[in-house]
Amino acid sequence: MKDLFSTDAANYATYRPGYPSELFIYLSNLAPAHELAWDAGTGNGQVAARLSSYFKNVIATDISKPQLAAARKVANVQYLEMPSEHTDFKDGSFDLVTVAQAVHWFNFDQFYAEVRRTLKPGGVIAVTGYGLLRSTEAINNAIDELHNEILRDHWEVERKYIDEGYKTIPFPFEEKSTPVFEHSCEWDLNQLLGYLATWSAVQHYIRSEHTNPVSFIEPALKAVFADQEKITFQFPILLRVGTK
């Protein structure tokens, strides 16, 4: 698993979007029991904290110590610094395994072998994430310019899986059809700029070009926000669900 986000853990915890409540209700209803869930590649624990309302206990793992340090502390969530591809969990431990906005960084074969080993019979794996944010036409045009043109040569190759909606990742499980989910939020300009700054390609660009690429589209974004404090944004939720 690649670690691209340790150096920006605080901003990642502050500015990354969440997931809709309907998603967690759906996954909870699919799980054969609600004793123990594993959130792999948990980052700042966004998903793990939400799962804690539906499962007796949650184990959340990541290889990034700074990300785990920034995670929200919840009584029934245990955070462990551990690679998702090599764990010391017992066979047949989990009712649900989730991985959110991270599976594209994993070694698929090794991670899925761990999932098969550690899921209970009938247990559920859910690979989720979110696609490119959408809003007004003017904002979409600016975001597309940043994502597709300015940062074109700075994305990690694994980013293609996000752009393809996780439809092209390997998924060796008995797959279920899933509902369509979307996360909606209202952000001011600073929240939008903060989120864009967490993109891995933005950080790569800054390191190689010594300039923040978000600054190239900032004037267009400021113009949109000139007459309104907050604007609504939608994130399409990516989701693949399967059973052992």
Side-chain angles (χ1 to χ4, degrees):
M1 177 182 177
K2 290 185 177 180
D3 179 6
L4 301 178
F5 304 102
S6 285
T7 58
D8 201 31
N11 283 337
Y12 199 92
T14 300
Y15 294 113
R16 282 282 169 149
Y19 294 85
S21 297
E22 294 80 7
L23 173 64
F24 297 99
I25 294 170
Y26 169 73
L27 295 178
S28 174
N29 288 338
L30 285 181
H34 299 89
E35 290 296 313
L36 186 60
W38 169 26
D39 185 40
T42 194
N44 58 40
Q46 278 184 329
V47 168
R50 299 290 297 277
L51 289 174
S52 70
S53 298
Y54 301 93
F55 289 83
K56 184 177 180 180
N57 289 291
V58 178
I59 294 177
T61 61
D62 205 280
I63 61 172
S64 171
K65 188 185 295 291
Q67 286 279 1
L68 293 173
R72 174 186 167 195
K73 303 305 184 285
V74 182
N76 62 332
V77 177
Q78 180 183 13
Y79 292 103
L80 299 174
E81 186 181 348
M82 183 184 296
S84 299
E85 298 92 338
H86 303 285
T87 74
D88 55 11
F89 302 136
K90 294 180 180 179
D91 294 358
S93 295
F94 301 108
D95 302 297
L96 173 71
V97 175
T98 57
V99 52
Q101 201 73 0
V103 77
H104 50 290
W105 304 122
F106 291 0
N107 178 299
F108 292 120
D109 290 341
Q110 292 176 359
F111 173 61
Y112 289 145
E114 282 296 88
V115 172
R116 286 191 293 269
R117 182 182 68 79
T118 61
L119 269 181
K120 294 178 182 178
V124 174
I125 174 174
V127 172
T128 190
Y130 44 83
L132 194 62
L133 74 169
R134 299 285 82 182
S135 187
T136 68
E137 182 178 0
I139 290 179
N140 290 349
N141 289 339
I143 296 297
D144 290 344
E145 179 185 359
L146 178 66
H147 183 277
N148 300 331
E149 301 299 330
I150 299 171
L151 298 177
R152 178 177 53 198
D153 298 326
H154 296 272
W155 288 108
E156 297 277 339
V157 64
E158 293 90 346
R159 172 70 191 191
K160 69 177 183 177
Y161 292 116
I162 292 285
D163 295 334
E164 294 163 355
Y166 277 168
K167 295 177 182 177
T168 57
I169 63 168
F171 197 69
F173 300 93
E174 184 177 339
E175 190 160 6
K176 296 179 175 292
S177 61
T178 61
V180 175
F181 296 101
E182 181 179 81
H183 174 68
S184 182
C185 57
E186 286 193 344
W187 279 349
D188 60 26
L189 178 60
N190 287 335
Q191 288 171 301
L192 175 59
L193 296 176
Y195 165 66
L196 296 175
T198 67
W199 284 4
S200 59
V202 167
Q203 297 303 312
H204 289 320
Y205 192 104
I206 291 172
R207 284 191 289 270
S208 65
E209 308 298 330
H210 309 292
T211 301
N212 186 344
V214 179
S215 66
F216 299 138
I217 67 166
E218 190 169 345
L221 298 177
K222 284 183 175 179
V224 179
F225 277 93
D227 59 352
Q228 48 193 319
E229 182 179 350
K230 291 192 174 184
I231 293 176
T232 300
F233 293 86
Q234 292 85 30
F235 288 84
I237 298 301
L238 319 180
L239 184 62
R240 304 283 298 273
V241 171
T243 56
K244 181 174 177 178

